[in-house]
Amino acid sequence: MSRAPHRVVVIAPSPVSMFNLAIPEMLFGKVEVDGGQGYEVVVCTPDPGPVATTGGLALHIDRDLDAVGGADTVVVAGTGHHYVPDPRTIHAVREAAAAGKRVTSICSGAFVLAEAGLLDGRSATTYWQLADELRDRYPSLDLQGDVLYVQDGQVLTSSGYAAGIDMCLHMIRTDYGAAVANEVARLSLVAPVRPGGQTQFTQTPLPPERGTACADTRGWAMRHLDRPLTLTDLARHAGVSVRTLTRRFHAESGVSPLQWLLHQRVERAKELLETTTLPMDQVARSCGLGTADSLRAHLVRRTGLTPSAYRAQYTRLGTGPTEVTSSVA
């Protein structure tokens, strides 16, 4: 029997950002696992009926906060600007967290989580224009003002607008694996998930790419991850010096070329573990990590799981060998 879909309940404040509200449905609604629906998305609000939006329109939302009781994950949408959280919403998210639910926020939704006491002693983030206010009002939280999203235990917060996409993709990856999350990203025409470190600790994603000068070289490197690429190789492909490549790469991606390359190798390894039955040493060679020991060290550092444990948790395959064709120039 297929398992029931993971239930995501989105709480809409008034006024609500329509973009914030659309993100969970857009991403979670595209998840299919073993031929079935991966998530069920429900939208609710303290006062059902017409709900104002920041764009001047009104949305009709039928469900009230009782829907939160049946959630596996709660997402508090934001407004994009300062607002006073509804006490009923604060109570609902506090009860959800006490019941062990995953509780998250997009943009100014972090103020609801903070008012409910869920961010006390935790790392968190919000939209950069509201960061100082969040820090001043709730000094017991550890504000990470320069990241896209943060996970601290069962609580996740994201900064403004498109950062909610990164956070939702991260949750999909946590629930169903990198291959499923990357497929959702492709279907949604957004950048692949940018995860951080181990799942039980604060997670900081790769920054968004902000330029195109090195885009061809990044694409070329992605097609040749099985090769022992060096800075010289990347600079030669880009037609610039190593120093120029490093400067441009960091300006566009926020990290050094080799940090970016290692991140992509680990992501490729995770996809191979999920979608093939290749031996560990072949997975390591195919993604450029070299040896099974190296694969294990990097995967444990990033996910907290050994390669075997990661495969057991996220595989979508039965048995039988699967071949991988190496990239060609």
Side-chain angles (χ1 to χ4, degrees):
M1 293 179 63
S2 61
R3 63 178 177 178
H6 183 110
R7 196 170 201 227
V8 177
V9 174
V10 185
I11 301 176
S14 180
V16 64
S17 162
M18 290 190 292
F19 186 67
N20 275 201
L21 204 57
I23 288 170
E25 175 60 33
M26 178 182 74
L27 297 173
F28 293 123
K30 287 181 168 59
V31 176
E32 292 188 5
V33 180
D34 299 331
Q37 183 181 4
Y39 295 92
E40 174 192 6
V41 181
V42 175
V43 179
C44 68
T45 192
D47 295 305
V51 176
T53 71
T54 53
L57 303 177
L59 298 175
H60 190 91
I61 300 177
D62 293 327
R63 304 293 297 272
D64 64 19
L65 293 174
D66 287 345
V68 175
D72 298 302
T73 293
V74 178
V75 180
V76 182
T79 65
H81 54 74
H82 169 79
Y83 74 106
V84 178
D86 188 294
R88 293 167 293 177
T89 301
I90 295 167
H91 176 75
V93 299
R94 186 182 289 135
E95 290 293 305
K101 313 297 184 181
R102 182 168 59 190
V103 181
T104 75
S105 66
I106 300 175
C107 192
S108 57
F111 284 83
V112 174
L113 274 54
E115 190 65 28
L118 304 187
L119 301 184
D120 291 349
R122 296 184 188 269
S123 295
T125 193
T126 190
Y127 185 42
W128 66 271
Q129 288 188 325
L130 302 173
D132 289 342
E133 181 182 354
L134 184 67
R135 182 190 293 112
D136 292 344
R137 287 178 59 181
Y138 306 101
S140 62
L141 63 81
D142 177 18
L143 183 71
Q144 306 292 312
D146 58 350
V147 300
L148 296 178
Y149 67 87
V150 175
Q151 174 171 354
D152 196 328
Q154 70 187 48
V155 179
L156 293 90
T157 52
S158 72
S159 56
Y161 301 106
I165 294 175
D166 292 284
M167 184 183 71
C168 289
L169 285 172
H170 165 69
M171 289 191 281
I172 294 169
R173 185 197 64 161
T174 300
D175 296 337
Y176 294 112
V180 173
N182 289 345
E183 176 63 16
V184 171
R186 284 189 286 268
L187 290 172
S188 303
L189 301 179
V190 297
V193 64
R194 296 188 292 269
Q198 300 171 335
T199 55
Q200 64 268 37
F201 298 119
T202 297
Q203 307 212 14
T204 303
L206 288 182
E209 294 174 359
R210 296 183 292 272
T212 59
C214 296
D216 286 346
T217 296
R218 288 194 295 267
W220 174 80
M222 289 290 291
R223 296 190 296 274
H224 298 87
L225 290 177
D226 57 317
R227 300 183 182 181
L229 300 176
T230 65
L231 272 176
T232 301
D233 294 329
L234 296 173
R236 184 182 298 115
H237 182 273
V240 297
S241 68
V242 169
R243 182 176 180 179
T244 298
L245 173 84
T246 301
R247 185 180 69 253
R248 290 180 180 175
F249 215 99
H250 196 281
E252 293 181 14
S253 66
V255 293
S256 72
L258 295 183
Q259 287 174 317
W260 178 89
L261 192 59
L262 177 59
H263 178 85
Q264 305 307 328
R265 293 191 192 284
V266 174
E267 287 300 299
R268 176 61 173 158
K270 286 156 61 177
E271 288 206 50
L272 291 175
L273 290 170
E274 295 171 30
T275 60
T276 77
T277 56
L278 291 172
M280 298 307 172
D281 56 350
Q282 192 170 348
V283 170
R285 290 194 302 271
S286 296
C287 65
L289 289 175
T291 67
D293 286 342
S294 177
L295 168 66
R296 178 188 176 92
H298 286 295
L299 199 68
V300 168
R301 187 176 302 119
R302 295 292 183 92
T303 70
L305 298 172
T306 65
S308 296
Y310 187 91
R311 172 172 276 167
Q313 181 166 332
Y314 291 118
T315 186
R316 290 282 167 272
L317 298 177
T319 57
T322 303
E323 294 184 358
V324 174
T325 302
S326 297
S327 303
V328 295

